[in-house]
Amino acid sequence: MQQRWNRRKTHLHLLALLFVFFMVFTILHNEHSIQQIHESPDPESQRQDASISFVKPNVLITRNGASEILDRFSKCNGTRDYSGRKISWSGRKPESSRRKVRSERCDVFSGKWVFDNTSYPLYNESECPYMSDQLACHKHGRIDLRYQYWRWQPHGCNLKRWNIAEMWEKLRGKRLMFVGDSLNRGQWISMVCLLQSVIPANKKSMSPNAPLTIFRAEEYNATIEFLWAPLLVESNSDDPVNHRLDERIIRPDSVLKHSLAWEHADILVFNTYLWWRQGPVKLLWSADENGACEELDGREAMELVMTTWADWVASRAIPLKKRVFFVTMSPTHLWSQEWEPESKGNCYNEKTPIELESYWGSGSDQPTMRIVEKVIDKLSSEVTVLNITQLSEYRKDGHPSIYRKFWEELSPQQLSNPASYSDCIHWCLPGVPDVWNELLFHFL
C-alpha cells in the first residue's frame, strides 16, 4: 500500500511539474505574440499595402559627388501619373506614440475675443523697426484701429499673461526658429516686435532678408529666426523672393536641405498649409535619376510631406529634446457671404470679429486638419499643436485688405477696387499673430 501511494505521489509531482512548464510556456508565447502585434503591422494592413511601394524618407542621395538641389530653374523631364508610392515611416512604437492628455484645466484654444483697449496692443506698429510693409496696416492708410484691441479669452480660464522679461529668460542662450511660409513669417515678425523694445539699439541686429533671416539679442545670447520653407520639404519655391512659378516641384521624401538650417535650433515652430491649396503638385522623388515627375493633388501631397517631416522630428528632434510646435492652418476670409448671407464683399471694411462660435469658413479645410492630426498623433506628446484655426476664423476684421504694400504701393485704381485687390490672407500687426505668440509663450 505504501509503495502504491509513493508511486501515485511521484506521478502527481510529475503532473504538477508538467502543468507548471505548460503555464510558463503559454505565458511566454502570448507575451511574444503581443510584442509582435505591437511591433508589426496587422495582417489586414499588410495585405492592403502589398501592392504599394514605400520610400524611406530623408536619405541623402548624391550623384557625381554632389546633391542635386531643386531651385526656381528646375524643370520636370516629363510628367506621369502618380505611382502610389508612400513614405515608409510608420511612427514610434505604440507605447510611446499615444499623445498624453494635457493637464490643462481648460482648452485655451476654445473661447471668444474680448475688446480690451487697456492692455492691447502689446506694442506700437510705428515703434517696431522690423515691421513689414505688407502687415503695417495703419501706416498704409487703415484708420479704424479696433483690430489691434482684441484679447483672446478662453472659456473657463485665462491665457498666461504676456511678459517680455520672462519670455527673454526662456530664450536666454537659445535659438527660436519659425519655419514655413509667409504666415509663419508674420508670426516671426510679431514675435520680434513683441520682444525687441527692451533691447538697446547697439545690442540687437537683424540679418539681411534671405532664406534664413535672424534677429539677434546680444545680452541674452539669443536669436529669433525665420526660415523660408513653405512646403517643408525641398522645392523649387525655396527662394523667399522669386517663388511665383507656374510649375511647383517638390521632393516629397526629403527635408534634408532645410533641416541643415533648422536642426541646431532649440525651439522650432513649423507651419504649412496655404500652398497646398493652389492646385496639383509635381513630385520628383530623390532616387529618380531621369528627372521625370509625378503629379498629385495638393492635399495628398501634403500628407506625404507631413510624414516626411514627422520622420525627421521622431528621429532627430525628440531624441535631442528640442521643443517642437506645429501651427495649424491660418484661415482666409475671401467671401463675406459666408458670415453675412447675400453680401458680395470680402474682408475689406470689416471692423468686428464673428461672434458665432461654431463659424467655420471655406478658407479652412477640415480634411487637411485631420491629416495634420493623424500624422502628429504618431509622434510623442512632446510635439505641441498650436491650434490657431478656430480662434482666427472669427477675425474677419484682422486682415490688411487694401492697407498694405507688397513690393509696390497699390495704385489709385487698385485701391478703388477692394473686391479684387484686398489681402484677406495675411494679418495686420499688431493683431491676430500676437495672440498666436501668446499661446506659444503659454506652452513654453
Side-chain angles (χ1 to χ4, degrees):
M1 177 70 72
Q2 183 65 36
Q3 287 179 337
R4 190 182 303 163
W5 167 247
N6 287 338
R7 283 197 299 272
R8 182 178 296 174
K9 189 162 66 169
T10 300
H11 291 156
L12 289 172
H13 285 161
L14 287 171
L15 287 171
L17 191 60
L18 286 171
F19 179 75
V20 169
F21 277 127
F22 173 76
M23 292 300 295
V24 170
F25 174 79
T26 302
I27 291 170
L28 290 175
H29 175 74
N30 288 341
E31 287 186 350
H32 179 69
S33 300
I34 291 169
Q35 185 177 0
Q36 284 187 318
I37 289 170
H38 281 307
E39 293 182 352
S40 305
D42 61 87
E44 182 62 30
S45 66
Q46 285 184 320
R47 284 194 295 272
Q48 290 176 349
D49 294 343
S51 62
I52 299 175
S53 63
F54 284 84
V55 177
K56 184 172 177 57
N58 301 317
V59 176
L60 182 62
I61 297 176
T62 61
R63 301 185 185 93
N64 301 320
S67 297
E68 294 184 1
I69 300 296
L70 290 178
D71 60 27
R72 62 194 180 95
F73 302 107
S74 299
K75 299 292 182 183
C76 291
N77 183 21
T79 302
R80 57 176 181 260
D81 292 339
Y82 173 51
S83 63
R85 278 181 277 190
K86 300 290 186 182
I87 302 300
S88 65
W89 180 78
S90 58
R92 293 160 71 85
K93 292 182 179 179
E95 60 267 28
S96 64
S97 68
R98 297 188 188 99
R99 294 182 62 80
K100 299 172 186 174
V101 177
R102 295 196 178 279
S103 57
E104 296 288 328
R105 286 173 293 179
C106 75
D107 179 5
V108 294
F109 304 117
S110 176
K112 63 179 181 179
W113 291 94
V114 177
F115 189 76
D116 181 353
N117 59 359
T118 302
S119 304
Y120 289 77
L122 297 172
Y123 57 90
N124 291 321
E125 176 192 297
S126 60
E127 294 175 1
C128 180
Y130 311 107
M131 178 62 66
S132 166
D133 274 331
Q134 190 178 4
L135 311 176
C137 301
H138 180 49
K139 175 182 176 181
H140 292 284
R142 184 163 180 174
I143 298 173
D144 168 54
L145 301 182
R146 285 174 62 88
Y147 67 91
Q148 298 185 2
Y149 299 114
W150 294 95
R151 170 171 54 83
W152 178 247
Q153 178 60 58
H155 294 312
C157 65
N158 293 315
L159 198 59
K160 184 178 175 66
R161 188 174 181 84
W162 175 256
N163 185 299
I164 295 180
E166 184 180 346
M167 185 62 177
W168 272 122
E169 287 304 324
K170 291 178 185 292
L171 297 179
R172 184 182 291 276
K174 292 184 171 62
R175 293 176 63 185
L176 165 61
M177 185 182 293
F178 294 83
V179 180
D181 59 21
S182 58
L183 290 157
N184 218 15
R185 179 167 54 200
Q187 187 175 354
W188 165 70
I189 293 169
S190 161
M191 182 64 82
V192 171
C193 290
L194 282 164
L195 289 172
Q196 63 83 33
S197 63
V198 298
I199 309 297
N202 63 342
K203 297 291 185 180
K204 61 188 175 185
S205 62
M206 179 75 81
S207 68
N209 182 43
L212 179 63
T213 310
I214 303 171
F215 172 82
R216 189 179 306 277
E218 290 182 22
E219 59 189 275
Y220 288 95
N221 187 30
T223 58
I224 306 169
E225 310 177 28
F226 172 69
L227 178 66
W228 174 261
L231 299 159
L232 295 184
V233 293
E234 180 184 338
S235 79
N236 66 339
S237 300
D238 290 337
D239 187 309
V241 176
N242 297 306
H243 51 252
R244 295 183 178 275
L245 306 171
D246 295 332
E247 185 176 68
R248 187 150 295 140
I249 307 171
I250 66 169
R251 291 202 189 280
D253 56 341
S254 180
V255 301
L256 294 180
K257 175 186 173 183
H258 298 311
S259 67
L260 287 173
W262 78 47
E263 67 181 350
H264 299 297
D266 302 284
I267 305 166
L268 286 160
V269 184
F270 293 94
N271 91 317
T272 189
Y273 165 58
L274 198 63
W275 285 44
W276 302 107
R277 289 172 62 89
Q278 300 177 12
V281 178
K282 300 295 178 67
L283 312 180
L284 185 58
W285 297 90
S286 297
D288 287 355
E289 296 187 18
N290 61 7
C293 296
E294 298 175 355
E295 188 169 87
L296 189 62
D297 76 79
R299 188 184 294 143
E300 290 181 277
M302 179 181 173
E303 184 168 7
L304 290 176
V305 164
M306 285 293 297
T307 308
T308 298
W309 167 82
D311 170 81
W312 186 91
V313 172
S315 62
R316 297 289 297 161
I318 293 176
L320 294 175
K321 301 192 182 303
K322 297 179 183 292
R323 289 302 306 272
V324 179
F325 295 85
F326 189 88
V327 183
T328 62
M329 65 181 74
S330 173
T332 60
H333 294 90
L334 302 175
W335 297 281
S336 61
Q337 62 187 2
E338 294 183 350
W339 60 84
E340 186 181 344
E342 299 184 8
S343 63
K344 295 182 179 180
N346 50 32
C347 68
Y348 171 71
N349 209 29
E350 293 291 344
K351 298 177 181 178
T352 57
I354 295 168
E355 295 183 0
L356 179 65
E357 286 196 25
S358 61
Y359 175 79
W360 191 275
S362 62
S364 298
D365 184 40
Q366 297 263 19
T368 300
M369 289 286 280
R370 287 192 287 271
I371 287 171
V372 171
E373 182 179 12
K374 181 176 74 172
V375 173
I376 293 181
D377 274 352
K378 293 182 181 181
L379 297 168
S380 82
S381 58
E382 294 169 55
V383 176
T384 303
V385 175
L386 293 184
N387 189 353
I388 58 94
T389 308
Q390 183 74 79
L391 65 91
S392 304
E393 279 280 13
Y394 306 136
R395 293 301 307 276
K396 59 181 171 62
D397 61 310
H399 299 284
S401 65
I402 60 173
Y403 305 111
R404 45 122 178 143
K405 176 184 177 182
F406 190 69
W407 306 121
E408 297 178 351
E409 299 275 3
L410 292 179
S411 67
Q413 291 78 16
Q414 291 172 326
L415 289 171
S416 65
N417 187 6
S420 298
Y421 293 99
S422 284
D423 179 352
C424 298
I425 296 173
H426 300 93
W427 302 92
C428 297
L429 290 179
V432 174
D434 303 328
V435 173
W436 302 349
N437 282 322
E438 286 184 276
L439 289 163
L440 178 62
F441 173 66
H442 179 90
F443 286 106
L444 280 174

